[in-house]
Each structure stands twice: as structure tokens, then as C-alpha cells.
Amino acid sequence: MDCPPSIPQKAPSENGRQYAYRVLYNGIMNLDFPPGMVLVDAELSQALQISRTPIREAIVSLVESKLVEVYPQRSSCVSRIDLDAVEEGVFLRFHTECAIFREARQKADNQMLSLMRENLDQQRSNLEQGNLDRYMELDNAFHKLLYLAAGKPWTWATVMRIVTHHDRVRRLQVRLGTEQLWPAHEEHREMFHAIMTRSEKNMDSFLHEHLTAGYRGALPELMKRYPGYFSL
């Protein structure tokens, strides 16, 4: 097992389990801990400078969220991307986000519109500079703003726990290059315009295309390049 080159420091407010969970979760979602990677308690303990107990507790939580699998020999490894889990996550996100979008369109105030506009400008800037990982963070942040505008922050947190396999596909999609990401940015701008103008147009089909077209189009190439990352 090779730990990421840069391990974040433990925050003063974190206990050992919370710290271990944050490092492992972020490492898995960012693909620093790739699908199929074996997690070795002793190496993680040394890298994080904490005992093995909080690491094992964090792994139990990650097993519950289907990001880690434990085998009979008691070895743990990062779960491979399950396409059924991807589709179930997209199903939940689409049906939730249609309702969220309608709420955001009615409730977004000037402050929220300003935050969305700033986010979109940062998206464009990072795409132009080729900072694709940062773009993906801004992509998620834009969608989070929709939930906040709708007054549903807990719903966002709940959805994010279910769509982890889908989000890893999206992170992998970044490796195919900038041209994969520009269409989503332009769609974000269309969403923002609909919210800003309080458009009454039905956006359900648009949102479905936005959430599915990019990753489904990229999947064949991703599975060809990274066959070991997917469970078949």
C-alpha cells in the first residue's frame, strides 16, 4: 500500500477516528486511494501518526458506505466502482435534484445568486487553466448551492453519501481531458439563467441529460483504460 504523497494534518477539533475517516474518504473519492487498493492498518497508522484502533473504526464506517470491502482473510481494500451503485446514485440524485431545482428557482435570493455567479466564473477560469480537479470541486459546489438555495442542506449531505460510486466515475472522467467538462459548465450557466430569471420552463429532461450524458459517454473509454477499477 502506498499512501498519498501529502497527508493532511489532523485538525484540533478532530478525534482520531474522525481524522482517519477524513483522510481515507477524501483519498478514496479523489482516487489517491484507487479502487482495489489494499488498506494496511500498520502503514496507515504510521502515515497518520495515530493508533490502529481509530483507523479500524473509520474503515468500518467506510464499509457501511460501500467504499471499502473486507475479505475473509480480514484484509480491507478500496471497493471497485459498481455500475449498479452508480446508476442507483444517479437515480436518487436526478429525482431529488428536479425538486431541488424547482425550490431553488423560487427561493434563491440575491446573495445566493451572487455566490452562483462567482462559482461559475471560477469554473470557467479553472477549465481555461486546465485545473480540472479544482473544476470538479466547483462543479459539486455549484450543485450544493442549489440545495442551499432551496433550504435543504441536510438533503445534500444525504445524497452525497449515496452517490459516491458515481462521483468516482466523474473524478476518473477528468483524466480524459478538458473537452469532457466544458459541456457541463455551459449547462450550469443555463441552470443559473433559469434560476436568475425565475423561468417556469420544465427542466427535468435537461437535468437528466446533465447528470447522465457525460459519464455515460465516457464510461466505455474509462473501462478500457482502467479495467481494474470496475467490478464486472
Side-chain angles (χ1 to χ4, degrees):
M1 187 194 95
D2 293 321
C3 288
S6 177
I7 296 289
Q9 292 187 339
K10 182 175 177 291
S13 61
E14 289 178 314
N15 60 36
R17 184 196 63 78
Q18 292 168 333
Y19 175 49
Y21 182 88
R22 176 168 65 89
V23 170
L24 288 170
Y25 177 86
N26 289 341
I28 292 169
M29 295 307 299
N30 293 336
L31 303 176
D32 290 329
F33 292 150
M37 174 180 173
V38 176
L39 301 173
V40 181
D41 293 355
E43 294 182 19
L44 288 168
S45 175
Q46 182 176 6
L48 275 62
Q49 294 296 295
I50 59 176
S51 70
R52 296 188 189 186
T53 298
I55 291 169
R56 289 168 181 160
E57 291 172 346
I59 286 174
V60 168
S61 296
L62 290 164
V63 169
E64 292 173 353
S65 59
K66 299 187 184 301
L67 287 175
V68 170
E69 297 174 346
V70 177
Y71 293 100
Q73 311 91 295
R74 301 182 63 81
S75 64
S76 303
C77 75
V78 178
S79 66
R80 289 177 170 79
I81 296 169
D82 183 327
L83 295 183
D84 288 337
V86 170
E87 289 298 324
E88 186 168 349
V90 172
F91 176 87
L92 172 66
R93 185 163 183 177
F94 165 65
H95 287 283
T96 303
E97 215 140 298
C98 286
I100 288 293
F101 189 83
R102 288 191 288 270
E103 290 280 323
R105 189 165 49 187
Q106 295 173 4
K107 297 179 179 178
D109 58 19
N110 288 336
Q111 181 182 11
M112 193 59 65
L113 290 172
S114 177
L115 289 172
M116 289 180 184
R117 186 181 291 108
E118 180 182 353
N119 175 285
L120 289 169
D121 290 343
Q122 291 181 24
Q123 283 185 32
R124 176 174 289 277
S125 175
N126 279 276
L127 279 174
E128 289 172 345
Q129 296 171 28
N131 299 327
L132 304 189
D133 285 328
R134 176 58 181 152
Y135 168 78
M136 291 303 297
E137 293 171 2
L138 290 163
D139 181 318
N140 269 347
F142 178 81
H143 283 267
K144 183 178 181 179
L145 287 172
L146 299 178
Y147 287 71
L148 296 180
K152 301 293 188 290
W154 193 16
T155 304
W156 169 258
T158 301
V159 169
M160 286 300 97
R161 286 197 292 270
I162 307 298
V163 299
T164 51
H165 285 250
H166 175 226
D167 269 3
R168 286 194 291 166
V169 172
R170 293 173 63 240
R171 279 286 181 175
L172 204 54
Q173 188 182 344
V174 166
R175 299 182 184 180
L176 299 183
T178 310
E179 65 278 2
Q180 289 279 323
L181 306 177
W182 275 109
H185 170 70
E186 297 303 330
E187 289 160 7
H188 291 152
R189 289 197 172 275
E190 289 187 53
M191 293 161 67
F192 173 71
H193 184 265
I195 291 171
M196 184 176 63
T197 60
R198 312 292 185 191
S199 169
E200 296 184 0
K201 180 181 176 181
N202 187 307
M203 297 286 284
D204 289 5
S205 295
F206 178 90
L207 288 170
H208 187 269
E209 185 77 3
H210 175 68
L211 292 171
T212 62
Y215 90 85
R216 285 180 178 168
L219 260 180
E221 181 63 23
L222 292 176
M223 295 179 73
K224 179 181 177 181
R225 292 193 190 186
Y226 308 99
Y229 282 16
F230 294 86
S231 62
L232 302 176

